[in-house]
Amino acid sequence: PGPCKLELRPAKLGESGFAEAFLDRALSRYVASDFSRALRDVEKAIELKPSFPVAHTIRSQMLAACPDDQIRNGKLAVKSAQEACELTGWNKWECLSPLAAAHAENGDYKQAIELTSRAIELAPNAQKDSLKEQLQLFEANKPLRHDIPLKNEK
């Protein structure tokens, strides 16, 4: 066998492979309470790879459950979660749960309860307890909020 040829080329920032990198950075920024920059990164991931259900799901979670009132947008959260559900055939608990949280953010607790119940049916046992806690919130007519301190609370 002859020598192996390796062709290297510089990556272009607009390539869809960068979507995962933007999503990783978004998650890092989100847990560091840098919510607006996290949201911009997840939106860039979606722009680069529109058929990326994980990015739609994470955007929905941020828009529905962020502790910062300025970031939350229930209507856009529903739209993003619905896109994730459509991309995955409406049978992934990981997409149904954020859609439930988005409906709760909009005050539609009946729909949130139905979707969370369906997510519990589909979820692996390791996830059922946290989904049941989410269900209890919605049954009490309370929205989901991520337990991340705002920057001025650190």
Side-chain angles (χ1 to χ4, degrees):
C4 177
K5 285 190 172 183
L6 178 63
E7 183 179 328
L8 298 175
R9 63 175 180 80
K12 295 183 177 83
L13 187 57
E15 292 179 359
S16 67
F18 277 95
E20 288 85 357
F22 276 101
L23 190 59
D24 287 345
R25 188 170 72 177
L27 293 170
S28 295
R29 286 178 166 172
Y30 191 77
V31 298
S33 303
D34 192 355
F35 304 122
S36 60
R37 289 174 66 193
L39 188 57
R40 280 196 301 273
D41 280 348
V42 77
E43 288 173 347
K44 183 66 176 178
I46 291 168
E47 177 187 325
L48 292 170
K49 193 173 179 181
S51 62
F52 191 12
V54 174
H56 287 283
T57 298
I58 290 172
R59 177 171 66 173
S60 178
Q61 291 174 342
M62 288 179 181
L63 292 169
C66 184
D68 186 342
D69 298 340
Q70 300 298 314
I71 299 297
R72 285 195 311 277
N73 180 331
K75 289 181 183 176
L76 187 55
V78 167
K79 183 179 175 192
S80 197
Q82 285 174 331
E83 181 67 22
C85 288
E86 288 172 16
L87 288 167
T88 59
W90 291 88
N91 62 3
K92 299 287 185 189
W93 71 269
E94 304 97 316
C95 299
L96 294 170
S97 173
L99 181 56
H103 280 292
E105 176 60 20
N106 287 331
D108 187 354
Y109 291 102
K110 181 180 180 198
Q111 186 69 15
I113 290 166
E114 289 175 18
L115 288 163
T116 303
S117 297
R118 174 103 162 87
I120 291 169
E121 291 172 13
L122 296 171
N125 287 336
Q127 301 300 322
K128 290 186 188 285
D129 285 343
S130 65
L131 288 169
K132 287 176 183 175
E133 290 175 13
Q134 179 175 309
L135 181 62
Q136 289 175 342
L137 278 174
F138 301 156
E139 288 172 338
N141 292 333
K142 293 181 180 177
L144 181 68
R145 292 292 176 263
H146 294 141
D147 188 19
I148 301 171
L150 298 173
K151 280 190 172 187
N152 58 359
E153 293 178 357
K154 286 185 173 180

